[in-house]
């Protein structure tokens, strides 16, 4: 059997929120995309009410006018900045950015449809640090439509946690 030259590239999805562990997950996903000759799809969800928006703490956001960027535009700009800071200007793989309004668990599960792999970091705020997954990573490991890798903070690993 011969490989179809026009077959689509596999897709590896990385969920990011700006935290140190999401940056580590982004680096891990980029390297895996390079090894698999895949496209890296960076996904971030945003909500009006979330205290964990990628652009920072929940914002008081006035009605937009012609000169005011939308929350989606602000989030996309921050995501692109985060990618540049984390992977450099030439990440070595094709990168797509998807910014979706909605809660992170749902956005990431939806993004897993048709993907080869979903990569997320874990904050582990809900219990003993390092012993449990965060609520988002726990949700995606249970509901994603592809394999999931959860990347821990290397500082926790170095400390033996």
């Amino acid at each position: 059997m011969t490989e179809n030259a026009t077959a689509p590239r596999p897709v590896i999805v990385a969920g990011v929120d700006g935290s140190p562990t999401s940056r580590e997950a982004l680096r891990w996903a980029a390297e895996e995309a390079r090894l698999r000759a895949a496209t890296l799809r960076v996904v971030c969800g945003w909500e009006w009410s979330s205290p964990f928006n990628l652009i920072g703490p929940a914002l008081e956001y006035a009605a937009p006018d012609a000169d005011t960027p939308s929350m989606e535009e602000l989030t996309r700009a921050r995501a692109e900045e985060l990618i540049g800071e984390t992977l450099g200007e030439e990440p070595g793989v094709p990168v797509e950015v998807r910014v979706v309004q909605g809660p992170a668990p749902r956005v990431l599960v939806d993004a897993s449809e048709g993907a080869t792999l979903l990569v997320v970091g874990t904050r582990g705020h809900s219990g003993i640090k390092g012993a449990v997954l965060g609520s988002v990573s726990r949700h995606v490991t249970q509901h994603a439509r592809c394999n999931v890798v959860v990347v821990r903070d290397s500082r926790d690993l170095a400390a033996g946690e």
Side-chain angles (χ1 to χ4, degrees):
M1 206 172 189
T2 61
E3 200 173 306
N4 183 349
T6 61
R9 293 174 70 102
V11 173
I12 295 180
V13 174
V16 298
D17 65 3
S19 67
T21 55
S22 83
R23 287 172 182 264
E24 294 213 22
L26 178 58
R27 280 189 283 276
W28 196 97
E31 177 60 15
E32 192 66 19
R34 187 189 65 74
L35 293 171
R36 294 185 188 211
T39 296
L40 176 61
R41 182 173 297 150
V42 179
V43 176
C44 42
W46 64 272
E47 296 181 89
W48 288 108
S49 61
S50 174
F52 300 111
N53 285 323
L54 180 64
I55 59 172
L59 301 174
E60 294 295 323
Y61 194 72
D65 60 29
D67 296 327
T68 304
S70 69
M71 285 293 284
E72 182 174 347
E73 291 168 327
L74 289 170
T75 303
R76 178 174 299 281
R78 180 62 188 118
E80 290 171 355
E81 181 181 318
L82 178 76
I83 292 165
E85 291 171 357
T86 306
L87 303 179
E89 293 303 314
E90 296 294 329
V93 295
V95 177
E96 299 174 357
V97 178
R98 299 254 173 110
V99 175
V100 182
Q101 183 178 5
R106 185 195 50 139
V107 166
L108 293 171
V109 168
D110 289 350
S112 72
E113 182 71 41
T116 301
L117 189 64
L118 171 62
V119 183
V120 294
T122 184
R123 289 184 172 175
H125 285 302
S126 58
I128 301 168
K129 186 176 178 184
V132 295
L133 297 175
S135 59
V136 172
S137 54
R138 182 175 40 249
H139 182 86
V140 299
T141 59
Q142 294 172 348
H143 301 285
R145 299 176 189 116
C146 65
N147 291 327
V148 178
V149 171
V150 179
V151 177
R152 290 183 56 195
D153 189 329
S154 62
R155 294 171 296 183
D156 291 343
L157 297 173
E161 293 181 14

